[in-house]
């Protein structure tokens, strides 16, 4: 049986956090540990989520836009085949950012 995939979400922070200068967060669950990391920029949050995903494969990073919609997703390690309506970029492969 394959290992359970860890999913990290890069999403905008709530209004209270944004008022304190924290605009983006990384949220996920690493085993029993719940992860919530604040970041000032989306780029910093994406970089952090990708580092975590590489350390905890199989994993996926889901990047949300400011309005909450999914912008893109990156897969690390062995993950199920992509759904035709939700493409996933394979990290390190062709077309990965």
């Amino acid at each position: 049986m394959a290992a359970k995939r860890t999913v990290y979400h890069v999403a905008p922070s709530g209004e209270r956090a944004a008022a304190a200068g924290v605009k983006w967060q990384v949220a996920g669950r690493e085993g029993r540990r719940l992860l919530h990391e604040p970041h000032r920029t989306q780029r910093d949050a994406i970089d952090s989520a990708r580092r975590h995903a590489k350390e905890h494969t199989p994993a996926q990073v889901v990047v949300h836009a400011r309005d909450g919609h999914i912008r893109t997703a990156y897969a690390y390690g062995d993950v199920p085949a992509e759904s035709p309506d939700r493409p996933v970029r394979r990290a390190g492969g062709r077309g990965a950012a």
Side-chain angles (χ1 to χ4, degrees), residues 1-96:
M1 185 168 112
K4 187 170 181 171
R5 176 177 49 170
T6 304
V7 180
Y8 298 94
H9 292 271
V10 175
S13 296
E15 291 179 25
R16 288 176 54 180
V22 175
K23 307 236 186 243
W24 294 90
Q25 67 178 353
V26 175
R29 182 175 296 278
E30 296 172 346
R32 299 182 95 181
R33 179 177 169 249
L34 193 59
L35 175 72
H36 282 286
E37 282 186 355
H39 295 276
R40 293 196 182 276
T41 66
Q42 187 182 41
R43 175 82 282 170
D44 290 344
I46 292 170
D47 291 344
S48 176
R50 292 179 85 174
R51 274 193 307 276
H52 283 290
K54 289 175 186 177
E55 292 172 7
H56 299 93
T57 60
Q60 182 178 18
V61 174
V62 178
V63 181
H64 297 267
R66 289 183 196 269
D67 63 3
H69 287 88
I70 295 174
R71 274 186 37 198
T72 190
Y74 303 96
Y76 297 84
D78 295 329
V79 293
E82 298 87 44
S83 167
D85 59 336
R86 265 181 100 178
V88 175
R89 295 182 185 172
R90 299 255 181 224
R94 258 180 92 190

